Amino acid sequence: MAYILIGSLLIGLTLGLLGSGGSAITVPILVYLVGHGAKESIAESMAIVGMISIAAAIPYASSKLIDWRSVIFFGLPGMLGTLMGASLGGLATEALQLVVFGTVLLAAAFVMFRRARSAAGAHESLELPAHQAPIWKMACEGIGVGVLTGFVGVGGGFLIVPALVILGKLPMRNAIGTSLVIIVINATVGFAKYEHFLVSHQMSVNWHTILVFTLIGIAGSVAGHKLNARLNQHVLKTVFAGFLVLLGGFVIVHEGSKLVPAAARQAQTTTHNVSAVLPAQNRIATLTLQGEQ
């Protein structure tokens, strides 16, 4: 129970402080601290992050900091991508999903390092720039983020926010608010798809865990939002990016070690089968020659 309380508070604080990154630590907490299976954890992560994002998006919506054009042209194609990613995730082994997840954490750390450096000393414009990217570019980006969301269970805020800033030409505050709505859409579709998969395989999510994580996570996001103005964002993002590098490296090494023996066993089995067939073929050839003589 202590792991659930600490983990959910950490997720909420991360979302409140940084506007993203909470989903990046949800799956590892559920797998390695709570002890749930990878596929159950991915589904639970989508439910938790989706509900926390609803609460986090309300202040942005009331302040009119959500760009609904981007929600439509980025978020709706993302639903298709999420369905595709969730379908692929159901076919993949848990170890492979977690290795991909670890790789995503490293990518998130890289993006966060870059954002931390570029944001140092920069001043944000509150006016919406003109010349937004073509709709097809936003749709393709949305599908890509959706596939990632469905396969490994991350909200994708670390990718959505930069995409909305670059392609959608949104100021950072609008990008964060819009990102939260898109995360809710993707997480809802992904959770529904995974829940169908789990039920068909006699598995299920733990609703008690989801509820506790969500409630404490929402409280943590409120606290994180209040702390946000008092902390140095450049240092905070740099430290969190470093944490993601360590976490991603651990997941890749831990789960990758499961993939290598499996591949080695398969190779050994193939070699054994071949070596068993060859002597038999040699004996048949010898008997054939003896019969001809």
Side-chain angles (χ1 to χ4, degrees):
M1 187 64 182
Y3 289 142
I4 295 178
L5 296 176
I6 296 172
S8 55
L9 184 61
L10 184 60
I11 293 166
L13 283 172
T14 303
L15 281 170
L17 285 170
L18 303 175
S20 64
S23 60
I25 60 177
T26 305
V27 172
I29 287 173
L30 291 171
V31 172
Y32 299 114
L33 294 185
V34 182
H36 291 182
K39 296 191 187 302
E40 294 93 330
S41 297
I42 289 173
E44 291 165 351
S45 171
M46 290 179 181
I48 294 165
V49 172
M51 287 190 283
I52 293 177
S53 296
I54 291 175
I58 292 175
Y60 288 93
S62 62
S63 300
K64 298 182 179 180
L65 292 174
I66 296 175
D67 181 57
W68 295 104
R69 175 186 183 274
S70 297
V71 171
I72 293 172
F73 296 121
F74 191 103
L76 295 185
M79 294 172 63
L80 175 62
T82 302
L83 286 173
M84 294 167 55
S87 299
L88 292 173
L91 298 174
T93 64
E94 293 190 350
L96 177 60
Q97 279 183 286
L98 291 173
V99 167
V100 174
F101 180 85
T103 306
V104 170
L105 293 190
L106 297 183
F110 175 74
V111 172
M112 196 161 288
F113 271 128
R114 291 189 61 183
R115 286 172 58 188
R117 287 201 303 267
S118 62
H123 296 283
E124 177 188 331
S125 172
L126 297 179
E127 297 298 325
L128 288 176
H131 309 300
Q132 292 179 320
I135 292 174
W136 68 268
K137 284 188 177 181
M138 298 183 67
C140 289
E141 184 78 16
I143 291 173
V145 172
V147 170
L148 191 64
T149 298
F151 191 77
V152 297
V154 297
F158 67 94
L159 291 175
I160 298 174
V161 172
L164 292 176
V165 171
I166 296 170
L167 298 179
K169 306 299 182 185
L170 300 182
M172 184 60 69
R173 292 181 187 176
N174 297 70
I176 291 174
T178 305
S179 170
L180 290 169
V181 177
I182 294 172
I183 289 171
V184 172
I185 294 173
N186 287 349
T188 301
V189 174
F191 176 77
K193 181 66 176 177
Y194 263 97
E195 179 66 7
H196 179 266
F197 172 85
L198 292 174
V199 170
S200 64
H201 288 77
Q202 288 76 51
M203 296 185 287
S204 64
V205 297
N206 188 312
W207 285 103
H208 177 264
T209 299
I210 291 174
L211 181 61
V212 172
F213 264 79
T214 300
L215 293 178
I216 298 180
I218 291 173
S221 68
V222 173
H225 187 71
K226 291 182 178 180
L227 288 172
N228 182 282
R230 303 181 183 181
L231 299 176
N232 186 308
Q233 294 297 295
H234 173 67
V235 174
L236 185 63
K237 289 180 179 179
T238 301
V239 171
F240 187 71
F243 171 72
L244 290 184
V245 170
L246 296 176
L247 183 59
F250 167 78
V251 172
I252 291 173
V253 172
H254 187 272
E255 301 301 328
S257 63
K258 298 177 182 178
L259 293 176
V260 174
R265 283 195 301 271
Q266 184 176 2
Q268 280 183 341
T269 302
T270 303
T271 304
H272 175 73
N273 292 338
V274 171
S275 61
V277 169
L278 288 177
Q281 290 177 338
N282 291 335
R283 286 195 299 270
I284 293 173
T286 302
L287 292 174
T288 303
L289 289 173
Q290 290 175 351
E292 291 176 353
Q293 292 174 355

